Amino acid sequence: MIEEPYRWVEAIANRREYIETQLAAGSPIAALGYGEGILFLTLGQARQKLFEIYDRIAMGAIGHPGDIERLRMAAIELASTEGFTRSAADVSLRRLAHYSLSPVMKSAFEQVYGPPFLARLLFAEIGAQPENDLFLRVEYDGAIATNGATAAQRSQDFAVLSGTRQSTELMESFRKSEHAADASLEKALNTALDAWSIGHMSLGKEDVNALPERTAFAQHRQEQVGANSIEAAVLERKGAGAIRYRLLSEKEARDLIGD
Amino acid sequence: MDKLPMALDQNCSGASEDFPSLLRRKGLRQTPLDGPIAGGHQPFVPTESTTILAFKFSAGVLVAGDRRATAGNTVVYDRADKVLEIDRHSIMAIAGVPATAWEMARVLEHSFQYFRRTQLQEMRVDGKVRALSKLLRDNFGFVMQGMGMVVPIFATYDFDTNSGGRLYFYDAMGAQFEVTDYAATGSGSPAVRGILHYANNWSDKPLQRLSEDEAVTIALRALDTAAESDTATGGVDRSGKIYPLIKIVSHDGIATLPEQKVASIFNETVA
């Protein structure tokens, strides 16, 4: 196959299509900055999808549980050994994603005789100031999208992850229009739930290009909140200890949204 | 296939491996199991620190340590921190060689967090107590070579069985002993044990019923007494205004007593 580049390209294309199909049903995850930190939110029924990686780093993932687990363990191992041998401040999400996860995921994806990672990951790292926050998405092929400021774009304090590109884009465009950086946790939870609902509605539908009416996604949200459990976690900017990750209990989340 | 830059082919659950094993796999932690340390038999006087005590009182567990570190007859440091926070509800206090003890505390701290992050549940009190025991056992080779002896006290709050504060002391080989009232280790500990035993049995009320201020008074008196006869114990440095470090483990977490408060209780009830 190495001697036949065309077949390799074809195999990669097939593989991409296969993985996209596998991931297409994934329940969206929204991460956004608010007044006191960063909120992660998703709805689901069974499996935990939000995880603590290190003191200031959280991860959300969709995909195959086995693959998510391997990547999660690798990320925790790397962060923990780095934090132990150097210092907690030396653990960096940027390095973790760019130098460790991305190359491994890319090579697994492109070695067509081996299994790829059926997973899409969303990370956030909380900084001392909101402008130091890092949001980062790693795809199954090792591609990375960040909120990082470049000459062309301003840094954004949110990121989303979903089963399809269309769903991801709709959530992003909603978040751009609705979001306030200094929102309370309560407000942020509501915005995240709305974004989740918009993303979730569009899964399985083709060619949805415009945001749905408020009444439509509000109704969808109400149904889904009733049928699923709310999974939410925060990275808090000002904490007493080094560990800034905190899982919100179901009750706490529901009390905040007045459910 | 190239060797991956991370251990993706390992058992993923993490259950088969604790944090010290992870460090060993990555070559980041040496223990005497890897062979004797060169020069271990040459005359060498390690820095040591003493004395620590802990007891249960009405609001939780009080853990206190003097601040002196010595090497032989020399006072190396007078502001050593021997009462170390391991997680939100656990304290390890150390008597012995700080180089080893601080490294142990660091491994322990990361062990608890590594377990919580990988296994998605908090390590139980028994697991935490055992983790420190294993570190001491790993270190015993160094102790036999005449250096690196550590004799810790471990205090934590037990949410699992709802039994409140739990208190343990260890020997250098890693045996753990749970105590109901008080523990003291280090060279000044005989005097401290005498005072705590007396206070617990024959004073107005047992240690477990003391208020915070009363508990701090007893702790300061005990350390001051230990310093009276043991040169390796700093006690209270009256001229340098250096006071023992006192922390309290309770349901709400760990509180470090502000130096001002320790000073005022000392001036009122001890000096």
Side-chain angles (χ1 to χ4, degrees), chain B residues 150-167:
Chain B
V150 175
V151 189
I153 287 176
F154 186 74
T156 189
Y157 196 90
D158 191 346
F159 290 93
D160 313 336
T161 59
N162 226 2
S163 46
R166 305 272 296 263
L167 183 55

Side-chain angles (χ1 to χ4, degrees), chain B residues 15-241:
Chain B
S16 63
E17 187 179 59
D18 60 6
F19 188 70
S21 321
L22 168 65
L23 293 179
R24 275 196 289 272
R25 166 155 62 77
K26 298 206 168 203
L28 296 172
R29 179 169 159 79
Q30 199 198 10
T31 68
L33 301 173
D34 304 328
I37 300 292
H41 294 285
Q42 286 166 16
F44 169 72
V45 184
T47 305
E48 296 192 3
S49 60
T50 47
T51 298
I52 48 166
L53 66 89
F55 59 86
K56 296 183 189 173
F57 71 108
S58 59
V61 186
L62 177 147
V63 187
D66 74 307
R67 309 288 298 274
R68 180 169 290 177
T70 56
N73 290 329
T74 313
V75 175
V76 175
Y77 192 43
D78 246 341
R79 290 175 197 275
D81 187 351
K82 309 173 191 178
V83 184
L84 312 167
E85 292 179 31
I86 303 298
D87 65 17
R88 280 173 194 167
H89 288 93
S90 306
I91 287 179
M92 173 182 165
I94 52 143
V97 177
T100 313
W102 287 334
E103 183 76 359
M104 259 183 211
R106 208 167 153 68
V107 174
L108 205 60
E109 184 185 345
H110 276 78
S111 295
F112 296 173
Q113 288 171 23
Y114 180 73
F115 183 87
R116 187 189 67 248
R117 286 170 180 145
T118 57
Q119 308 304 305
L120 304 170
Q121 66 184 42
E122 194 71 33
M123 196 189 286
R124 295 298 186 109
V125 167
D126 288 350
K128 291 180 178 177
V129 169
R130 175 89 187 109
L132 177 51
S133 181
K134 271 157 74 181
L135 290 180
L136 287 162
R137 184 131 198 111
D138 283 353
N139 183 57
F140 193 62
F142 285 141
V143 176
M144 290 305 284
Q145 288 175 40
M147 54 194 212
M149 171 126 96
V150 175
V151 189
I153 287 176
F154 186 74
T156 189
Y157 196 90
D158 191 346
F159 290 93
D160 313 336
T161 59
N162 226 2
S163 46
R166 305 272 296 263
L167 183 55
Y168 300 81
F169 71 94
Y170 290 78
D171 69 10
M173 277 186 80
Q176 76 240 13
F177 305 95
E178 180 164 16
V179 297
T180 49
D181 296 310
Y182 62 85
T185 72
S187 59
S189 63
V192 170
R193 271 203 292 274
I195 287 179
L196 292 179
H197 184 75
Y198 185 89
N200 199 33
N201 287 282
W202 299 299
S203 57
D204 304 344
K205 48 186 168 182
L207 295 171
Q208 298 233 17
R209 283 177 34 214
L210 296 182
S211 70
E212 185 178 303
D213 284 8
E214 290 167 336
V216 172
T217 300
I218 294 279
L220 291 173
R221 284 180 180 167
L223 286 172
D224 205 47
T225 309
E228 194 66 24
S229 57
D230 176 31
T231 54
T233 301
V236 175
D237 183 337
R238 288 163 168 82
S239 58
K241 305 250 184 295

Side-chain angles (χ1 to χ4, degrees), chain A:
Chain A
M1 195 169 278
I2 305 292
E3 296 80 41
E4 294 178 80
Y6 172 72
R7 288 187 55 198
W8 183 79
V9 169
E10 191 183 46
I12 289 293
N14 287 342
R15 168 173 280 225
R16 190 177 292 281
E17 196 184 324
Y18 164 73
I19 299 175
E20 289 286 355
T21 317
Q22 292 289 309
L23 295 178
S27 165
I29 298 172
L32 61 148
Y34 67 103
E36 284 132 36
I38 296 170
L39 167 74
F40 270 69
L41 177 126
T42 184
L43 294 188
Q45 285 180 330
R47 186 147 66 71
Q48 184 172 342
K49 289 192 300 191
L50 305 180
F51 305 101
E52 173 185 10
I53 299 299
Y54 204 67
D55 294 359
R56 292 175 296 113
I57 302 175
M59 177 183 106
I62 60 174
H64 191 285
D67 287 334
I68 293 172
E69 188 58 20
R70 289 200 295 159
L71 294 164
R72 183 179 81 88
M73 284 298 298
I76 294 175
E77 263 188 24
L78 285 160
S80 299
T81 48
E82 175 79 4
F84 175 82
T85 49
R86 298 197 176 84
S87 76
D90 289 306
V91 177
S92 133
L93 172 58
R94 191 178 53 81
R95 288 170 48 226
L96 179 72
H98 283 86
Y99 305 152
S100 296
L101 293 174
S102 172
V104 169
M105 291 172 83
K106 179 178 191 294
S107 71
F109 177 70
E110 290 181 348
Q111 280 165 6
V112 289
Y113 291 123
F117 289 99
L118 290 179
R120 192 172 265 158
L121 312 172
L122 178 68
F123 289 96
E125 177 181 64
I126 190 142
Q129 303 296 330
E131 54 268 29
N132 306 124
D133 290 352
L134 180 61
F135 292 81
L136 191 147
R137 189 167 64 212
V138 189
E139 291 288 338
Y140 52 84
D141 61 359
I144 293 179
T146 71
N147 68 321
T150 60
Q153 79 179 52
R154 275 183 53 227
S155 112
Q156 297 172 336
D157 62 346
F158 65 85
V160 297
L161 186 70
S162 189
T164 63
R165 173 181 290 270
Q166 173 186 277
S167 164
T168 308
E169 281 170 359
L170 284 172
M171 286 172 78
E172 274 173 349
S173 74
F174 173 75
R175 292 292 331 294
K176 271 180 197 148
S177 65
E178 283 287 307
H179 182 55
D182 54 354
S184 64
L185 180 55
E186 182 187 341
K187 174 87 177 18
L189 261 170
N190 278 308
T191 314
L193 265 174
D194 286 344
W196 183 90
S197 304
I198 288 166
H200 191 253
M201 274 176 90
S202 84
L203 292 178
K205 290 185 192 145
E206 307 227 331
D207 296 331
V208 184
N209 297 318
L211 287 173
E213 292 293 319
R214 183 161 285 277
T215 48
F217 72 73
Q219 195 199 342
H220 185 77
R221 169 180 155 171
Q222 199 175 8
E223 286 163 16
Q224 294 297 321
V225 167
N228 293 287
S229 58
I230 300 177
E231 194 180 342
V234 287
L235 291 166
E236 291 166 319
R237 199 176 311 283
K238 296 207 165 46
I243 300 166
R244 301 302 168 80
Y245 179 90
R246 184 169 70 85
L247 202 61
L248 265 58
S249 70
E250 178 91 28
K251 184 177 178 306
E252 189 179 357
R254 285 188 188 270
D255 284 352
L256 279 167
I257 58 163
D259 182 62

